[in-house]
Amino acid sequence: MRDHVQAHAPLEACGLLAGKNYRVEKVLLIENQAKSRVKFRMDPKGQLQAFNWIDSNGLSLVGIFHSHPAGPETVSATDIEEAAYDVIQIIWSRTKGNWIAHGFWIENKHVSEVKLEIINIEQP
Ligand SMILES: [Zn+2]
């Protein structure tokens, strides 16, 4: 995710997170059709392909991520307004060249921060 948001800065970048039980197993990168520094709109074709991939691999959508290359670290009013799925929203923001990710849960326009954990999965 970080490489993807870095590669697209100063434009916003976005993607979907697939997995099970709030655990991400696959990051699906999607082009930001808006090509904007302050907003994103997922490319519909890329989004459809991603949803098909998630379905055919028996996973669920667990999160959506996008970047705020110029801040803020939190979800914007637009992000809250446009939150369409009951999934974790991850915002990548950049401060002094360093990217940081914050997770949020948006329900009925109410935002709460959720803790993100990085888990290394050992392959047998
Ligand atoms: Zn945003």
Side-chain angles (χ1 to χ4, degrees):
M1 273 191 281
R2 185 165 50 202
D3 290 346
H4 179 68
V5 299
Q6 172 67 31
H8 287 76
L11 302 181
E12 288 199 11
C14 53
L16 300 176
L17 303 171
K20 284 176 194 161
N21 304 322
Y22 301 107
R23 189 160 161 158
V24 177
E25 293 180 23
K26 172 84 174 172
V27 176
L28 299 131
L29 307 175
I30 301 188
E31 285 305 309
N32 176 8
Q33 195 183 48
K35 304 236 179 293
S36 160
R37 292 168 182 241
V38 291
K39 65 176 182 184
F40 79 102
R41 180 175 145 68
M42 288 194 191
D43 171 60
K45 200 173 156 200
Q47 196 174 2
L48 184 64
Q49 283 171 346
F51 277 119
N52 286 339
W53 187 94
I54 292 168
D55 279 347
S56 57
N57 284 275
L59 298 175
S60 305
L61 180 69
V62 296
I64 295 176
F65 76 93
H66 72 279
S67 61
H68 287 170
E73 285 190 14
T74 181
V75 284
S76 68
T78 311
D79 294 334
I80 296 167
E81 201 57 46
E82 294 181 352
Y85 301 97
D86 287 340
V87 296
I88 304 292
Q89 306 275 338
I90 294 181
I91 304 292
W92 283 89
S93 58
R94 192 170 55 168
T95 312
K96 293 178 184 146
N98 295 314
W99 290 98
I100 185 163
H102 288 281
F104 301 93
W105 182 259
I106 303 171
E107 196 167 359
N108 299 325
K109 316 280 181 225
H110 176 80
V111 180
S112 41
E113 183 157 4
V114 293
K115 191 165 164 267
L116 302 176
E117 259 183 275
I118 295 177
I119 301 166
N120 290 311
I121 302 166
E122 301 287 336
Q123 296 296 335

